[in-house]
Amino acid sequence: MEPSTQEKTIGTKIFAIIKGVIAFLVVTLSLFHIFLEPKSKAQLDYAPKYKEEVRRLDSLQLHYITQLENKEINADQYVLIAKQHLASYEPSLKKISSVRRSLAQEHSFRGRSSLHFWLFVFGLVIALFFFSCKSLKDDFSRGSTFKFHFVSLTGILVSGFWFIHLIFLTQKDFTQNNYIAAILFGALLFSVFVYFLVKYYTYKDDIIYKQLWFIEKVKTTYFYNMSIKAKYAEKHKTSIPSSHNVKNVDETIDDFQKDLNELITDV
């Protein structure tokens, strides 16, 4: 049993709402980073230890200098103590730095410092991609030339570049400019694919809309005119007079053929 017109209408509205919600989430995705922490609690708790250790070591150094000035130790003793102190200085700080790097690594995501940062950047990129695709679709719908498409295509190319970088590469690759040529080539292929995909679905939707328009016009105009003529002729046993402002059969057929030819040409 086929669904009724009302059921189809409800289904269409629900689908439109779902698309609207998805579009809203895509555009506002970068804002969701506020619900994530840029650093973990362990990182925040451990962060002061480096400065504390530096202050402790500096304090010891000043203490030894004070002892030397007060002649509590002689110069030879100070040199020996200073060498030992400096020897312990670097390993102590390296140990703390190693722990900090380990904590940062645990909190990192896709080679970035955190999911907080990654989601923020990814959200901006996907918003650029969304609006570029929408702009391109509007360009196709308006029948704009390629010079207008080029602006939208550039946005898709840039977003494609960052999609690849954010998903497959790390921050280290970014700072060292690694794989730039490969990323650009991949982004170019991505943008070309999206360009023709948007073009295909835009024209497909346009054809569907024109077909629906033609069907609606047949129902509301041509069928209406023909039914009026038929009912009038059946009732009065004569054709409808021109004073009723209803087109005759030949005119109606000509208009119908004209609209049909236009539809076929567009398809």
Side-chain angles (χ1 to χ4, degrees), residues 190-232:
F190 173 78
S191 60
V192 171
F193 171 76
V194 172
Y195 177 84
F196 285 105
L197 185 67
V198 173
K199 182 178 181 180
Y200 169 77
Y201 278 103
T202 301
Y203 287 155
K204 181 181 177 182
D205 290 344
D206 188 53
I207 290 170
I208 292 173
Y209 291 145
K210 286 182 178 178
Q211 289 175 338
L212 292 174
W213 166 83
F214 180 73
I215 293 171
E216 185 67 21
K217 191 168 184 179
V218 169
K219 289 169 59 179
T220 59
T221 303
Y222 302 128
F223 179 77
Y224 174 78
N225 287 342
M226 296 298 290
S227 62
I228 289 293
K229 293 184 182 72
K231 288 181 179 179
Y232 188 92

Short mmCIF file of all heavy atoms in Angstrom, two decimals, residues 190-232:
data_model
loop_
_atom_site.label_atom_id
_atom_site.label_comp_id
_atom_site.label_asym_id
_atom_site.label_seq_id
_atom_site.Cartn_x
_atom_site.Cartn_y
_atom_site.Cartn_z
N PHE A 190 40.22 16.03 -4.53
CA PHE A 190 39.02 16.15 -3.68
C PHE A 190 38.10 17.25 -4.19
O PHE A 190 36.88 17.06 -4.29
CB PHE A 190 39.47 16.43 -2.25
CG PHE A 190 38.34 16.73 -1.30
CD1 PHE A 190 37.55 15.72 -0.78
CD2 PHE A 190 38.07 18.04 -0.92
CE1 PHE A 190 36.50 16.00 0.09
CE2 PHE A 190 37.04 18.34 -0.04
CZ PHE A 190 36.26 17.31 0.46
N SER A 191 38.67 18.40 -4.52
CA SER A 191 37.85 19.54 -4.96
C SER A 191 37.20 19.26 -6.32
O SER A 191 36.05 19.64 -6.54
CB SER A 191 38.71 20.81 -5.04
OG SER A 191 39.78 20.64 -5.95
N VAL A 192 37.92 18.59 -7.21
CA VAL A 192 37.34 18.24 -8.52
C VAL A 192 36.18 17.27 -8.34
O VAL A 192 35.11 17.42 -8.97
CB VAL A 192 38.42 17.63 -9.44
CG1 VAL A 192 37.78 17.06 -10.71
CG2 VAL A 192 39.46 18.67 -9.80
N PHE A 193 36.37 16.28 -7.47
CA PHE A 193 35.31 15.31 -7.20
C PHE A 193 34.07 16.00 -6.63
O PHE A 193 32.94 15.76 -7.08
CB PHE A 193 35.82 14.25 -6.22
CG PHE A 193 34.75 13.32 -5.71
CD1 PHE A 193 34.26 12.30 -6.51
CD2 PHE A 193 34.23 13.48 -4.43
CE1 PHE A 193 33.26 11.45 -6.05
CE2 PHE A 193 33.24 12.64 -3.97
CZ PHE A 193 32.75 11.62 -4.77
N VAL A 194 34.28 16.87 -5.65
CA VAL A 194 33.15 17.58 -5.03
C VAL A 194 32.47 18.50 -6.04
O VAL A 194 31.24 18.62 -6.06
CB VAL A 194 33.63 18.38 -3.80
CG1 VAL A 194 32.51 19.27 -3.25
CG2 VAL A 194 34.12 17.44 -2.70
N TYR A 195 33.27 19.13 -6.89
CA TYR A 195 32.72 20.04 -7.90
C TYR A 195 31.71 19.32 -8.79
O TYR A 195 30.57 19.78 -8.98
CB TYR A 195 33.86 20.61 -8.74
CG TYR A 195 33.42 21.50 -9.88
CD1 TYR A 195 33.15 22.85 -9.66
CD2 TYR A 195 33.27 21.00 -11.17
CE1 TYR A 195 32.75 23.67 -10.70
CE2 TYR A 195 32.87 21.81 -12.22
CZ TYR A 195 32.61 23.15 -11.97
OH TYR A 195 32.20 23.96 -13.00
N PHE A 196 32.11 18.18 -9.33
CA PHE A 196 31.21 17.45 -10.23
C PHE A 196 30.07 16.77 -9.48
O PHE A 196 28.98 16.60 -10.02
CB PHE A 196 32.00 16.43 -11.05
CG PHE A 196 32.82 17.05 -12.14
CD1 PHE A 196 34.20 17.17 -12.01
CD2 PHE A 196 32.22 17.54 -13.29
CE1 PHE A 196 34.96 17.76 -13.01
CE2 PHE A 196 32.97 18.13 -14.30
CZ PHE A 196 34.34 18.25 -14.16
N LEU A 197 30.32 16.42 -8.23
CA LEU A 197 29.26 15.83 -7.42
C LEU A 197 28.15 16.85 -7.15
O LEU A 197 26.96 16.55 -7.31
CB LEU A 197 29.83 15.32 -6.09
CG LEU A 197 28.86 14.55 -5.18
CD1 LEU A 197 28.47 13.22 -5.82
CD2 LEU A 197 29.50 14.30 -3.81
N VAL A 198 28.55 18.06 -6.76
CA VAL A 198 27.58 19.13 -6.51
C VAL A 198 26.86 19.49 -7.81
O VAL A 198 25.64 19.70 -7.82
CB VAL A 198 28.27 20.37 -5.92
CG1 VAL A 198 27.31 21.55 -5.83
CG2 VAL A 198 28.83 20.06 -4.53
N LYS A 199 27.61 19.53 -8.89
CA LYS A 199 27.01 19.85 -10.20
C LYS A 199 25.96 18.82 -10.58
O LYS A 199 24.85 19.17 -11.03
CB LYS A 199 28.11 19.90 -11.26
CG LYS A 199 27.61 20.28 -12.65
CD LYS A 199 28.78 20.36 -13.63
CE LYS A 199 28.30 20.77 -15.02
NZ LYS A 199 29.43 20.85 -15.98
N TYR A 200 26.28 17.56 -10.39
CA TYR A 200 25.35 16.48 -10.75
C TYR A 200 24.06 16.57 -9.94
O TYR A 200 22.96 16.53 -10.51
CB TYR A 200 26.04 15.12 -10.51
CG TYR A 200 25.09 13.94 -10.60
CD1 TYR A 200 24.66 13.47 -11.84
CD2 TYR A 200 24.62 13.32 -9.45
CE1 TYR A 200 23.79 12.39 -11.92
CE2 TYR A 200 23.75 12.24 -9.52
CZ TYR A 200 23.34 11.78 -10.76
OH TYR A 200 22.48 10.73 -10.84
N TYR A 201 24.19 16.70 -8.63
CA TYR A 201 23.00 16.72 -7.79
C TYR A 201 22.20 18.02 -7.93
O TYR A 201 20.98 18.02 -7.78
CB TYR A 201 23.38 16.49 -6.32
CG TYR A 201 23.56 15.03 -6.01
CD1 TYR A 201 24.83 14.49 -5.87
CD2 TYR A 201 22.47 14.18 -5.88
CE1 TYR A 201 25.01 13.14 -5.61
CE2 TYR A 201 22.64 12.83 -5.61
CZ TYR A 201 23.90 12.31 -5.48
OH TYR A 201 24.07 10.98 -5.23
N THR A 202 22.89 19.11 -8.24
CA THR A 202 22.16 20.37 -8.47
C THR A 202 21.29 20.26 -9.71
O THR A 202 20.11 20.62 -9.69
CB THR A 202 23.14 21.54 -8.63
OG1 THR A 202 23.94 21.65 -7.46
CG2 THR A 202 22.39 22.85 -8.84
N TYR A 203 21.87 19.78 -10.80
CA TYR A 203 21.10 19.63 -12.04
C TYR A 203 20.02 18.57 -11.89
O TYR A 203 18.93 18.69 -12.46
CB TYR A 203 22.03 19.28 -13.19
CG TYR A 203 22.88 20.44 -13.65
CD1 TYR A 203 24.10 20.25 -14.28
CD2 TYR A 203 22.47 21.75 -13.43
CE1 TYR A 203 24.88 21.32 -14.70
CE2 TYR A 203 23.24 22.83 -13.84
CZ TYR A 203 24.44 22.61 -14.47
OH TYR A 203 25.19 23.67 -14.87
N LYS A 204 20.33 17.53 -11.12
CA LYS A 204 19.34 16.49 -10.89
C LYS A 204 18.13 17.06 -10.15
O LYS A 204 16.98 16.81 -10.52
CB LYS A 204 19.97 15.35 -10.09
CG LYS A 204 19.02 14.19 -9.81
CD LYS A 204 19.72 13.11 -8.99
CE LYS A 204 18.76 11.98 -8.66
NZ LYS A 204 19.40 10.93 -7.83
N ASP A 205 18.40 17.83 -9.11
CA ASP A 205 17.31 18.46 -8.35
C ASP A 205 16.54 19.44 -9.22
O ASP A 205 15.30 19.52 -9.15
CB ASP A 205 17.86 19.19 -7.13
CG ASP A 205 18.38 18.23 -6.06
OD1 ASP A 205 18.04 17.04 -6.14
OD2 ASP A 205 19.12 18.68 -5.17
N ASP A 206 17.26 20.18 -10.05
CA ASP A 206 16.61 21.16 -10.91
C ASP A 206 15.67 20.48 -11.90
O ASP A 206 14.56 20.96 -12.15
CB ASP A 206 17.69 21.95 -11.67
CG ASP A 206 17.09 23.12 -12.44
OD1 ASP A 206 16.37 23.92 -11.82
OD2 ASP A 206 17.33 23.22 -13.66
N ILE A 207 16.11 19.34 -12.43
CA ILE A 207 15.26 18.59 -13.36
C ILE A 207 14.00 18.08 -12.66
O ILE A 207 12.89 18.16 -13.20
CB ILE A 207 16.06 17.42 -13.97
CG1 ILE A 207 17.13 17.95 -14.93
CG2 ILE A 207 15.13 16.46 -14.72
CD1 ILE A 207 18.11 16.90 -15.39
N ILE A 208 14.19 17.58 -11.44
CA ILE A 208 13.05 17.08 -10.68
C ILE A 208 12.06 18.21 -10.40
O ILE A 208 10.84 18.04 -10.54
CB ILE A 208 13.52 16.44 -9.36
CG1 ILE A 208 14.30 15.15 -9.66
CG2 ILE A 208 12.35 16.13 -8.44
CD1 ILE A 208 14.96 14.54 -8.45
N TYR A 209 12.58 19.37 -10.00
CA TYR A 209 11.70 20.51 -9.72
C TYR A 209 10.93 20.94 -10.97
O TYR A 209 9.74 21.27 -10.89
CB TYR A 209 12.51 21.69 -9.19
CG TYR A 209 13.08 21.47 -7.81
CD1 TYR A 209 14.33 21.98 -7.46
CD2 TYR A 209 12.37 20.74 -6.85
CE1 TYR A 209 14.85 21.76 -6.20
CE2 TYR A 209 12.89 20.52 -5.59
CZ TYR A 209 14.13 21.04 -5.27
OH TYR A 209 14.65 20.83 -4.02
N LYS A 210 11.59 20.92 -12.11
CA LYS A 210 10.91 21.31 -13.35
C LYS A 210 9.85 20.29 -13.75
O LYS A 210 8.79 20.66 -14.26
CB LYS A 210 11.94 21.48 -14.47
CG LYS A 210 12.78 22.74 -14.33
CD LYS A 210 13.76 22.91 -15.47
CE LYS A 210 14.53 24.23 -15.32
NZ LYS A 210 15.53 24.42 -16.38
N GLN A 211 10.15 19.03 -13.51
CA GLN A 211 9.16 18.00 -13.81
C GLN A 211 7.94 18.15 -12.90
O GLN A 211 6.79 18.02 -13.36
CB GLN A 211 9.78 16.61 -13.64
CG GLN A 211 10.79 16.26 -14.72
CD GLN A 211 11.48 14.94 -14.45
OE1 GLN A 211 11.53 14.47 -13.32
NE2 GLN A 211 12.03 14.34 -15.50
N LEU A 212 8.20 18.43 -11.63
CA LEU A 212 7.08 18.65 -10.71
C LEU A 212 6.28 19.89 -11.09
O LEU A 212 5.04 19.90 -10.99
CB LEU A 212 7.62 18.80 -9.27
CG LEU A 212 8.24 17.54 -8.66
CD1 LEU A 212 8.86 17.86 -7.30
CD2 LEU A 212 7.19 16.44 -8.51
N TRP A 213 7.01 20.93 -11.52
CA TRP A 213 6.32 22.15 -11.98
C TRP A 213 5.42 21.85 -13.18
O TRP A 213 4.28 22.32 -13.26
CB TRP A 213 7.35 23.20 -12.35
CG TRP A 213 6.79 24.35 -13.14
CD1 TRP A 213 6.15 25.45 -12.67
CD2 TRP A 213 6.81 24.49 -14.57
NE1 TRP A 213 5.77 26.27 -13.69
CE2 TRP A 213 6.15 25.71 -14.88
CE3 TRP A 213 7.31 23.71 -15.61
CZ2 TRP A 213 6.00 26.15 -16.19
CZ3 TRP A 213 7.16 24.15 -16.91
CH2 TRP A 213 6.50 25.36 -17.19
N PHE A 214 5.93 21.05 -14.11
CA PHE A 214 5.16 20.71 -15.32
C PHE A 214 3.92 19.90 -14.95
O PHE A 214 2.82 20.15 -15.47
CB PHE A 214 6.05 19.93 -16.28
CG PHE A 214 5.35 19.54 -17.56
CD1 PHE A 214 5.07 20.48 -18.53
CD2 PHE A 214 4.97 18.22 -17.77
CE1 PHE A 214 4.42 20.13 -19.70
CE2 PHE A 214 4.32 17.86 -18.94
CZ PHE A 214 4.04 18.82 -19.91
N ILE A 215 4.10 18.94 -14.05
CA ILE A 215 2.96 18.12 -13.62
C ILE A 215 1.91 18.99 -12.95
O ILE A 215 0.70 18.85 -13.18
CB ILE A 215 3.43 17.00 -12.68
CG1 ILE A 215 4.30 16.00 -13.44
CG2 ILE A 215 2.24 16.29 -12.04
CD1 ILE A 215 4.99 14.99 -12.55
N GLU A 216 2.38 19.91 -12.10
CA GLU A 216 1.44 20.80 -11.40
C GLU A 216 0.70 21.70 -12.39
O GLU A 216 -0.50 21.95 -12.24
CB GLU A 216 2.22 21.65 -10.39
CG GLU A 216 1.35 22.54 -9.51
CD GLU A 216 0.47 21.74 -8.57
OE1 GLU A 216 0.77 20.56 -8.29
OE2 GLU A 216 -0.54 22.32 -8.10
N LYS A 217 1.42 22.16 -13.41
CA LYS A 217 0.78 23.03 -14.40
C LYS A 217 -0.24 22.26 -15.23
O LYS A 217 -1.30 22.79 -15.59
CB LYS A 217 1.84 23.65 -15.32
CG LYS A 217 1.27 24.76 -16.20
CD LYS A 217 2.35 25.56 -16.88
CE LYS A 217 1.74 26.72 -17.66
NZ LYS A 217 2.77 27.54 -18.33
N VAL A 218 0.07 21.01 -15.53
CA VAL A 218 -0.89 20.17 -16.26
C VAL A 218 -2.17 20.02 -15.45
O VAL A 218 -3.29 20.13 -15.97
CB VAL A 218 -0.28 18.78 -16.56
CG1 VAL A 218 -1.35 17.82 -17.06
CG2 VAL A 218 0.83 18.91 -17.60
N LYS A 219 -1.99 19.80 -14.13
CA LYS A 219 -3.16 19.60 -13.27
C LYS A 219 -3.97 20.88 -13.10
O LYS A 219 -5.21 20.86 -13.15
CB LYS A 219 -2.70 19.11 -11.89
CG LYS A 219 -2.19 17.68 -11.89
CD LYS A 219 -1.50 17.35 -10.58
CE LYS A 219 -2.44 17.54 -9.40
NZ LYS A 219 -1.78 17.19 -8.12
N THR A 220 -3.29 22.00 -12.88
CA THR A 220 -4.00 23.23 -12.53
C THR A 220 -4.39 24.09 -13.73
O THR A 220 -5.29 24.93 -13.61
CB THR A 220 -3.13 24.09 -11.59
OG1 THR A 220 -1.89 24.39 -12.25
CG2 THR A 220 -2.84 23.34 -10.29
N THR A 221 -3.72 23.90 -14.86
CA THR A 221 -4.00 24.76 -16.01
C THR A 221 -4.62 23.98 -17.17
O THR A 221 -5.78 24.20 -17.54
CB THR A 221 -2.71 25.46 -16.48
OG1 THR A 221 -2.17 26.21 -15.39
CG2 THR A 221 -3.00 26.41 -17.65
N TYR A 222 -3.83 23.07 -17.73
CA TYR A 222 -4.30 22.39 -18.94
C TYR A 222 -5.50 21.48 -18.65
O TYR A 222 -6.50 21.49 -19.36
CB TYR A 222 -3.16 21.59 -19.57
CG TYR A 222 -1.97 22.44 -19.92
CD1 TYR A 222 -0.69 22.11 -19.48
CD2 TYR A 222 -2.12 23.60 -20.67
CE1 TYR A 222 0.40 22.90 -19.79
CE2 TYR A 222 -1.03 24.40 -20.99
CZ TYR A 222 0.22 24.04 -20.54
OH TYR A 222 1.29 24.83 -20.85
N PHE A 223 -5.37 20.68 -17.62
CA PHE A 223 -6.48 19.78 -17.28
C PHE A 223 -7.71 20.58 -16.88
O PHE A 223 -8.85 20.23 -17.24
CB PHE A 223 -6.06 18.85 -16.14
CG PHE A 223 -7.14 17.90 -15.72
CD1 PHE A 223 -7.45 16.78 -16.49
CD2 PHE A 223 -7.88 18.13 -14.57
CE1 PHE A 223 -8.47 15.92 -16.11
CE2 PHE A 223 -8.89 17.27 -14.18
CZ PHE A 223 -9.18 16.16 -14.95
N TYR A 224 -7.48 21.68 -16.17
CA TYR A 224 -8.61 22.52 -15.74
C TYR A 224 -9.34 23.11 -16.94
O TYR A 224 -10.58 23.07 -17.03
CB TYR A 224 -8.08 23.63 -14.83
CG TYR A 224 -9.13 24.64 -14.44
CD1 TYR A 224 -10.07 24.36 -13.45
CD2 TYR A 224 -9.19 25.89 -15.07
CE1 TYR A 224 -11.04 25.29 -13.10
CE2 TYR A 224 -10.15 26.82 -14.72
CZ TYR A 224 -11.07 26.52 -13.73
OH TYR A 224 -12.03 27.44 -13.39
N ASN A 225 -8.56 23.65 -17.89
CA ASN A 225 -9.18 24.25 -19.08
C ASN A 225 -9.97 23.22 -19.89
O ASN A 225 -11.09 23.48 -20.34
CB ASN A 225 -8.11 24.89 -19.97
CG ASN A 225 -7.57 26.18 -19.37
OD1 ASN A 225 -8.20 26.77 -18.50
ND2 ASN A 225 -6.40 26.61 -19.84
N MET A 226 -9.35 22.06 -20.06
CA MET A 226 -10.01 21.02 -20.85
C MET A 226 -11.27 20.51 -20.16
O MET A 226 -12.30 20.25 -20.80
CB MET A 226 -9.04 19.85 -21.10
CG MET A 226 -7.82 20.23 -21.93
SD MET A 226 -8.22 20.80 -23.60
CE MET A 226 -8.78 19.28 -24.35
N SER A 227 -11.21 20.38 -18.84
CA SER A 227 -12.38 19.89 -18.11
C SER A 227 -13.52 20.91 -18.14
O SER A 227 -14.70 20.55 -18.24
CB SER A 227 -12.00 19.57 -16.66
OG SER A 227 -11.56 20.73 -15.98
N ILE A 228 -13.16 22.20 -18.08
CA ILE A 228 -14.18 23.26 -18.17
C ILE A 228 -14.89 23.19 -19.52
O ILE A 228 -16.13 23.25 -19.61
CB ILE A 228 -13.55 24.64 -17.96
CG1 ILE A 228 -13.12 24.83 -16.50
CG2 ILE A 228 -14.52 25.75 -18.36
CD1 ILE A 228 -14.26 24.89 -15.52
N LYS A 229 -14.09 23.04 -20.57
CA LYS A 229 -14.67 22.97 -21.92
C LYS A 229 -15.57 21.74 -22.06
O LYS A 229 -16.67 21.81 -22.63
CB LYS A 229 -13.55 22.92 -22.96
CG LYS A 229 -12.72 24.19 -23.08
CD LYS A 229 -11.71 24.04 -24.20
CE LYS A 229 -10.82 25.27 -24.33
NZ LYS A 229 -9.87 25.36 -23.22
N ALA A 230 -15.08 20.62 -21.54
CA ALA A 230 -15.84 19.37 -21.67
C ALA A 230 -17.16 19.45 -20.91
O ALA A 230 -18.22 19.04 -21.42
CB ALA A 230 -15.00 18.21 -21.17
N LYS A 231 -17.11 19.97 -19.70
CA LYS A 231 -18.33 20.07 -18.89
C LYS A 231 -19.33 21.06 -19.51
O LYS A 231 -20.54 20.82 -19.51
CB LYS A 231 -17.98 20.51 -17.47
CG LYS A 231 -17.30 19.42 -16.65
CD LYS A 231 -16.99 19.90 -15.25
CE LYS A 231 -16.33 18.79 -14.43
NZ LYS A 231 -16.01 19.25 -13.05
N TYR A 232 -18.79 22.16 -20.04
CA TYR A 232 -19.68 23.15 -20.66
C TYR A 232 -20.35 22.56 -21.91
O TYR A 232 -21.56 22.73 -22.12
CB TYR A 232 -18.88 24.40 -21.04
CG TYR A 232 -19.75 25.55 -21.52
CD1 TYR A 232 -20.21 26.49 -20.61
CD2 TYR A 232 -20.10 25.67 -22.87
CE1 TYR A 232 -21.02 27.54 -21.04
CE2 TYR A 232 -20.91 26.71 -23.30
CZ TYR A 232 -21.36 27.65 -22.38
OH TYR A 232 -22.16 28.68 -22.81
#
